[in-house]
Amino acid sequence: MTSLWVFTCLSAFLGAKLVPVTSAPPAVLTLGPEVINEMLTEQLKDQGATTILHKLPLLSAMRQEPSGGIPLLGSLVSSVLKHIIWLRVTSASILQLQVQPTVKDQELVVRIPLDMVAGFNTPLVKTIVEFHMETEAQAFIGVQSSPDGPHRLVLRDCLSSQSSLRISLLNKLSFLVNSLADKVINLLVPALPQMVKEELCPVIQTAFDGMYADFLKLVKAPIFLSPGLLRFDLLSPAITGSSIQLNLQAKLLDSKAKVTKWFNNSDTSLALPTQHRAPFSLIIREDVVSEVVAAILFPEELVVLLDFVLPELARELKMSIETFNKTAASLLGPTQIMKIVLKNSPQVFLSQTGAKMAQLVTLEVFASNKDVRPFFTLGIEASSEAQFYAEDDRLILNFNDLSCNRIHLMISDINLFNTDILKSVLTKVLSATLLSNENGKLRHGIPMPIVKTLGYDMASWSVFQGVTLPLQAWGLDSESSESVVFGHIRANMSYL
Ligand SMILES: *[C@@H]1O[C@H](CO)[C@@H](O)[C@H](O)[C@H]1NC(C)=O
Ligand SMILES: *[C@@H]1O[C@H](CO)[C@@H](O)[C@H](O)[C@H]1NC(C)=O
């Protein structure tokens, strides 16, 4: 399934707001609450968070906590503990995490609900006395700014509040056991939050560090072009609402892994969509996209044996030339050659009507393969419609509807003539040769590893016009039908 780039209103489609930023990073990867939730849950699992909960030292925590030098309480604790053979967590799970904004700037909180059953064994009754404990750990994630080094995401605080704690007995018991259980619960209530902080928060810290390392791995994953590579790196993180925004730097490398182009912050203002419902989005600045396309469509020379490859068009060219010079037309032999040279790489840009690609072509016509001097040479300003669409996790670009906007006669051995006469046939020739050659190079598309790494099957792109004429793309996730990827190109090209 593919979705074409369209100029629909992003705001209407996504309910997004546009926030102008004054310094535009080359790319912005925004990870929404859903992605943060999934990545942190995975890390907590890897770090064995539930195992830690199973090992919570309930007995020793009760012993330490409330006595605090008050003799009466101290003796209460020991009178309770006297009746308990063992006390431990018998089952534990971490429920669905919730990612929420906080009142503080550049901060979000991840609520980690903990669901546990604890039990104790007492000589007073044969069965285990079980109670249900529900509490929550809260991890506050913020941006740490540093005057010399780069900013980074940090776990600002980790705690468990008394207010999130609920403990209730699971069994019906005799009066005696019930009163013992109540005492145990009363001692656990003040002890548990501190215990969660001491035992679980270090694990949450490790999980957070792992998640942050995963973020960096995600943004640094090379994007293979052919030829060369596109690589992103973290410039600075930010938090907007309950999303993490990673501002990225970009560089293009050639096939020998040499950096051919750097993209840093630019002074142009950029309108970034916020509050979209996409699990994640990737916005790429227009100059980066244009250079990526240019890297794939490296300039080369096409030599076309016109009468051999496109006999119909060879005839049409001859007839067009006949209209102004019969002698010249008769000289065009069966071995006539057309040399098509790209003056520089094509540029992708946006106009009011859609995404476009512009290229400057030099076209030399040789009457036969024996000729060393061209019959005539033309400079052609050509443009095409540019379509972006997704196939799986790849971004595919395709050009069609080529038109020759202006044709300059540069050198002519057949005197001056009005180049407009050749417009129709040359448009067909360039579509059949140059454009299909370019589409062939672009056919495999640009793989976006982020999509698969985050567990989505595909992304789709679309086009959006904003404050500074951006061309913006976003993608659809096959499961949730929500947008996942953004691309952004801004038009600043004028051709000739
Ligand atoms: C962009 O930043 C990189 C690393 O900070 C630097 O090496 C490079 O020279 C910069 N390029 C430009 C064009 O400013
Ligand atoms: C027609 O082309 C020939 C060369 O093929 C040239 O010598 C001649 O001057 C041209 N005639 C006109 C009228 O342009």
Side-chain angles (χ1 to χ4, degrees):
M1 205 183 83
T2 59
S3 322
L4 293 178
W5 282 49
V6 282
F7 274 94
T8 50
C9 178
L10 182 70
S11 301
F13 183 68
L14 291 174
K17 277 186 189 152
L18 291 178
V19 175
V21 292
T22 42
S23 157
V28 180
L29 176 66
T30 306
L31 303 170
E34 191 176 312
V35 169
I36 300 169
N37 183 338
E38 263 166 41
M39 289 179 80
L40 194 59
T41 303
E42 200 57 41
Q43 283 290 337
L44 286 169
K45 223 178 263 166
D46 291 353
Q47 300 305 328
T50 45
T51 315
I52 297 293
L53 293 177
H54 271 113
K55 290 184 189 154
L56 284 182
L58 300 178
L59 257 185
S60 57
M62 273 166 56
R63 229 179 249 129
Q64 289 160 12
E65 181 60 23
S67 49
I70 307 166
L72 198 67
L73 267 180
S75 64
L76 171 70
V77 172
S78 43
S79 76
V80 170
L81 293 182
K82 210 166 57 196
H83 296 290
I84 292 174
I85 300 169
W86 56 257
L87 164 64
R88 60 170 173 255
V89 173
T90 54
S91 82
S93 54
I94 293 175
L95 304 181
Q96 177 84 10
L97 272 48
Q98 284 161 34
V99 182
Q100 292 166 349
T102 72
V103 286
K104 280 197 201 152
D105 189 33
Q106 299 284 316
E107 188 183 79
L108 60 80
V109 61
V110 185
R111 297 181 182 278
I112 306 166
L114 312 173
D115 192 84
M116 291 174 275
V117 173
F120 66 81
N121 198 343
T122 168
L124 301 178
V125 61
K126 280 208 182 88
T127 53
I128 297 167
V129 182
E130 284 189 309
F131 45 94
H132 186 201
M133 302 194 293
E134 291 167 282
T135 186
E136 179 184 273
Q138 293 164 2
F140 292 86
I141 296 174
V143 176
Q144 191 179 56
S145 51
S146 108
D148 8 277
H151 296 187
R152 54 167 287 136
L153 277 187
V154 289
L155 185 67
R156 269 195 192 149
D157 202 2
C158 177
L159 52 90
S160 175
S161 70
Q162 201 71 251
S163 62
S164 64
L165 180 62
R166 259 176 299 277
I167 305 184
S168 56
L169 266 179
L170 285 176
N171 341 44
K172 275 218 162 82
L173 303 159
S174 69
F175 175 76
L176 203 62
V177 180
N178 214 357
S179 112
L180 177 66
D182 279 348
K183 281 177 192 143
V184 169
I185 289 174
N186 284 342
L187 289 171
L188 276 177
V189 165
L192 202 64
Q194 187 58 27
M195 209 184 327
V196 168
K197 188 177 166 71
E198 278 168 15
E199 305 290 329
L200 190 65
C201 281
V203 179
I204 294 174
Q205 175 73 58
T206 314
F208 168 80
D209 292 342
M211 177 176 74
Y212 195 49
D214 282 349
F215 286 170
L216 297 184
K217 226 191 285 168
L218 186 69
V219 302
K220 287 182 181 181
I223 294 171
F224 293 96
L225 313 172
S226 54
L229 281 183
L230 171 67
R231 290 200 98 120
F232 292 115
D233 203 350
L234 185 66
L235 266 180
S236 62
I239 289 174
T240 49
S242 49
S243 296
I244 289 172
Q245 183 184 314
L246 303 171
N247 299 322
L248 309 179
Q249 186 182 51
K251 60 187 175 189
L252 271 174
L253 295 91
D254 64 15
S255 49
K256 294 183 191 78
K258 197 176 131 260
V259 177
T260 53
K261 189 104 193 163
W262 270 106
F263 303 93
N264 296 329
N265 272 339
S266 83
D267 295 335
T268 51
S269 72
L270 187 70
L272 292 183
T274 63
Q275 295 173 1
H276 45 76
R277 294 173 294 113
F280 72 91
S281 72
L282 177 66
I283 299 171
I284 305 171
R285 206 171 61 201
E286 57 98 18
D287 55 327
V288 182
V289 176
S290 200
E291 290 291 346
V292 164
V293 172
I296 299 171
L297 303 180
F298 50 92
E300 62 177 344
E301 188 178 280
L302 290 181
V303 178
V304 183
L305 274 164
L306 197 65
D307 197 45
F308 188 68
V309 197
L310 300 162
E312 291 285 327
L313 295 180
R315 239 187 324 276
E316 196 177 327
L317 178 69
K318 194 170 195 142
M319 275 155 60
S320 304
I321 294 174
E322 255 170 18
T323 61
F324 59 85
N325 190 331
K326 279 209 162 64
T327 327
S330 68
L331 291 176
L332 275 179
T335 60
Q336 64 183 289
I337 282 171
M338 229 178 228
K339 257 191 204 163
I340 300 165
V341 186
L342 274 190
K343 229 183 131 196
N344 41 28
S345 294
Q347 300 278 334
V348 177
F349 68 96
L350 194 80
S351 75
Q352 291 296 326
T353 49
K356 279 204 185 300
M357 182 268 279
Q359 52 193 341
L360 268 189
V361 181
T362 306
L363 189 138
E364 293 178 323
V365 176
F366 295 84
S368 80
N369 61 357
K370 299 277 181 318
D371 292 355
V372 284
R373 221 183 122 75
F375 213 31
F376 55 86
T377 302
L378 304 172
I380 303 174
E381 292 171 42
S383 66
S384 314
E385 302 297 324
Q387 282 182 327
F388 293 77
Y389 60 93
E391 256 178 41
D392 303 330
D393 61 341
R394 285 167 304 138
L395 165 65
I396 317 261
L397 181 60
N398 185 67
F399 300 130
N400 50 43
D401 276 346
L402 178 134
S403 58
C404 297
N405 304 327
R406 277 197 274 176
I407 304 176
H408 308 267
L409 186 61
M410 293 162 79
I411 304 166
S412 177
D413 269 6
I414 59 169
N415 271 340
L416 294 183
F417 60 91
N418 180 357
T419 55
D420 280 351
I421 295 166
L422 302 183
K423 204 171 209 169
S424 156
V425 64
L426 291 181
T427 302
K428 288 178 207 162
V429 170
L430 289 181
S431 300
T433 55
L434 179 64
L435 213 61
S436 49
N437 178 52
E438 288 171 338
N439 283 335
K441 285 182 185 172
L442 293 164
R443 196 177 51 228
H444 298 296
I446 302 163
M448 304 299 290
I450 286 173
V451 180
K452 286 252 158 83
T453 309
L454 287 179
Y456 295 90
D457 288 338
M458 57 176 232
S460 79
W461 297 71
S462 196
V463 176
F464 172 71
Q465 270 183 295
V467 184
T468 51
L469 274 189
L471 173 60
Q472 177 118 16
W474 72 87
L476 295 178
D477 155 33
S478 57
E479 284 163 33
S480 66
S481 291
E482 285 189 353
S483 305
V484 283
V485 177
F486 285 84
H488 176 111
I489 312 173
R490 195 174 64 83
N492 60 357
M493 267 294 300
S494 60
Y495 228 72
L496 279 189

